[in-house]
Amino acid sequence: QVQLAESGGGLVQAGGSLRLSCAASGSIFRINAMGWYRGAPGKLRELVATITSGGSTNYADSVKGRFTTSRDSAKNTVYLQMNSLKPEDTAVYYCNAEIHTTWDLPSRDYWGQGTQVTVSS
């Protein structure tokens, strides 16, 4: 069994910063890509940022230059540093990871429970 635990959400004023963390735990053989998505509960989630096991990153156009994702593979943890936050960044942020639980099975997607980020104007 695999769990993803997010932390770091909260309320911040426009122009401020927050740092989200997501730690994967449980029966993990290898983690491929990790990333962050956002949206409202029950609604379609949009990609925010992803990072491969090799460190290559990809960002949504709306966050380029303001958000930075990184990972600590030794800790099975991914981070999202969010700077120059805008009210339109308000959403529930979900962590995602492609995880192999054994060497002989394909990877599957796992999701965190989500953490609320609210940016006030």
Side-chain angles (χ1 to χ4, degrees):
Q1 204 165 3
V2 173
Q3 297 85 36
L4 298 183
E6 298 134 333
S7 60
L11 173 65
V12 65
Q13 287 189 329
S17 298
L18 283 174
R19 188 188 193 217
L20 306 183
S21 300
C22 172
S25 62
S27 180
I28 297 171
F29 174 72
R30 186 176 70 243
I31 301 178
N32 295 339
M34 303 184 81
W36 295 92
Y37 292 72
R38 66 186 182 188
K43 299 283 182 69
L44 193 65
R45 298 170 186 175
E46 65 168 349
L47 180 146
V48 176
T50 61
I51 182 167
T52 68
S53 57
S56 296
T57 56
N58 181 50
Y59 296 94
D61 288 342
S62 59
V63 307
K64 281 181 181 176
R66 300 187 298 122
F67 291 10
T68 302
T69 190
S70 60
R71 65 191 283 176
D72 184 335
S73 295
K75 296 181 179 179
N76 291 334
T77 300
V78 63
Y79 305 96
L80 184 68
Q81 178 65 45
M82 303 185 293
N83 298 329
S84 302
L85 281 160
K86 304 175 181 180
E88 51 263 45
D89 295 318
T90 295
V92 178
Y93 283 70
Y94 299 91
C95 173
N96 169 268
E98 296 175 25
I99 297 175
H100 291 267
T101 54
T102 64
W103 66 272
D104 59 342
L105 291 176
S107 64
R108 55 154 287 194
D109 276 341
Y110 290 86
W111 293 89
Q113 78 286 356
T115 185
Q116 178 71 45
V117 171
T118 303
V119 184
S120 63
S121 57

